[in-house]
Amino acid sequence: MRWTRAAVAASTLSIVLAGCGAGPSDRPGVAVERPVVGNAPVTSVVSPAPQRAAVPKTDLSWRDCTTPTLNLLGLGPAPGGLVLECAEFSTPIDSQGTVLGSFRTGAMRARLPQTPADAPPLVLTSGTDRSSTATLAGLAVGSGGAGPLATRPIVAVDRRGIGTSQPIDCLPAEIRSGLADNGQFGSGAGNPAEAISALSQEATISCRDFLQPYEGMFDAPHAADDIEQLRKQWQVDTIDLIGTGNGARVALSYARKFGDHLSRLILDSPEAVNTDSVTREEQRLQGAEAALTAFAQRCQGMNCALGADPRAAVADLVTTASTGGLGEISAKALLTTITGFLGSPRADQSGRIAELADALAAAERGDRAALGKLILRESAATAGDGQFVNRCTDTQQPPTPGKATELATLWSQKYPVFGRSAALGLLACSAWPVPSPAPLPEKLNLPVLVLNSVADPVTGNAGTASVTGALGAAGARHATVSWQGWGHPVFTHSGCGQRALLEYLADAELPADGTACPA
């Protein structure tokens, strides 16, 4: 069902708000040494380890969705034994009751034949970077799936209006396509910054009018409320939660609001917190350029279809797209697809590199069929009106058209492949009212595992410091594991990162802070 005012207003909340205690942890407490005061003896106190999450007592009504999900996302046939199951659950539009009504939140569970039936699920949110269900599907078919899924099921929860959640249909088709293409093909293409600003104005009016009075309820704290509703439906006292990229913001909101209901918290490749949109986008650009360089080096070593200098070939193709040389494929659509491809898990890395190289090389020769399929694959995970609404709700301090034009010139030199398009793309949310930053946890008595990589095309890695700083300010012990490879998020790529994650999930023990995982 499409999200309409009538449908939302007519919905009613029917979730059982019941909870029950999970069993205590069987790990010993942690002894903390206290300093000597005068002649008093040294004493110690015991802090119990976080209790373990439990198996849901009242589960969702799951149905098999393996084949349609993988077909939609262009991920090919399922690996042997993989099962993807989809379900929906009803969530209040506003848990505080200021606005009545409910809507349908989508979830997907992944498991393998060897996944223990009595293992508690790991809850996953990837926020607005791509639908959480698409992130989970990519993990499940990539090389990273077997490790985590062999020990426990993973349940992805999509943000409001994204992925399998009740969709939002608020943008006129021409506005939707104009934003997707950075206004490249519109009547105002001669001044792209002004063109995108105008599109943002039209999009903002259209979506906010369509959604009112719910237009302010698509932020990270409301997404955290939806995850809490799932916990209540499961009738468990605590959950294990992993937030990747923008989803780390949702996970931090959950920790602030419902920290007592967290047994484990993993922040994988988190985007920066309390940072303006320009700074955060430049951090992403650094990761995207680094990931492209790593791809190009591997591509060159394979004698791939992009020739002796794959990076230069990609840059030339972006220039071709920006001047209309790829027909209806805009520079932004091309770059969005490349970014998503560079981030996605790869069971067969050589095969995946060849797939992208072949598609790009064919497009340069005039055959755009393979590239078109990749664009559709990425659009299924990242495009949609819900993405626009949620992203803009999270955006802090977008630039003015003049500033974006300056950045387009500066970044086109500093970040030659992705820079210009990224600068102009910042204007997509320029007309959306700037919200207050999502509050961060003030006190968190939980060890937190943080993962990042040196070449993350989706978030970069410069934002990790702001996240660990926020954790420290809340009193949470934390450790960072850095992967030396390229992709997003870490736990879908790195076996070393997965081991750190699984050990932490098992007993809440953190690795040494600053642990490095080889590429």
Side-chain angles (χ1 to χ4, degrees), residues 208-288:
R208 288 179 66 84
D209 282 352
F210 177 76
L211 293 169
Q212 74 175 168
Y214 322 120
E215 69 275 14
M217 299 179 183
F218 293 86
D219 55 10
H222 281 87
D225 290 343
D226 296 344
I227 294 175
E228 172 65 0
Q229 194 67 27
L230 176 62
R231 182 197 67 80
K232 291 177 178 179
Q233 171 128 347
W234 277 345
Q235 296 190 60
V236 296
D237 191 55
T238 61
I239 60 171
D240 296 338
L241 178 63
I242 178 169
T244 68
N246 172 266
R249 182 181 299 204
V250 177
L252 286 169
S253 289
Y254 190 92
R256 174 185 169 85
K257 301 180 75 172
F258 312 109
D260 290 343
H261 294 299
L262 276 175
S263 49
R264 307 286 188 272
L265 176 61
I266 305 105
L267 306 177
D268 190 334
S269 311
E271 69 177 21
V273 295
N274 291 340
T275 305
D276 64 274
S277 61
V278 172
T279 300
R280 192 165 61 249
E281 184 64 8
E282 186 163 17
Q283 292 170 349
R284 187 194 70 80
L285 280 173
Q286 294 166 354

Side-chain angles (χ1 to χ4, degrees), residues 292-349:
L292 179 60
T293 296
F295 162 82
Q297 291 171 344
R298 182 66 188 273
C299 194
Q300 183 181 36
M302 294 169 47
N303 295 317
C304 70
L306 291 174
D309 191 345
R311 202 181 197 286
V314 172
D316 290 343
L317 190 62
V318 173
T319 300
T320 299
S322 67
T323 57
L326 293 184
E328 297 181 351
I329 299 176
S330 66
K332 183 180 179 183
L334 172 62
L335 289 168
T336 299
T337 300
I338 291 174
T339 297
F341 202 98
L342 292 177
S344 61
R346 38 195 179 266
D348 174 12
Q349 187 180 73

Side-chain angles (χ1 to χ4, degrees), residues 304-307 313 316-317 320 325-327 329 354-371:
C304 70
L306 291 174
D316 290 343
L317 190 62
T320 299
L326 293 184
I329 299 176
E355 181 183 5
L356 179 59
D358 291 346
L360 297 177
E364 184 65 44
R365 297 192 302 269
D367 180 1
R368 298 188 289 272
L371 179 57

Side-chain angles (χ1 to χ4, degrees), residues 173-187:
E174 67 276 10
I175 301 300
R176 185 183 300 115
S177 61
L179 290 173
D181 294 329
N182 261 359
Q184 180 175 328
F185 303 121
S187 59

Side-chain angles (χ1 to χ4, degrees), residues 88 207 254 290 405 407:
E88 296 81 34
C207 286
Y254 190 92
T405 300
L407 288 172

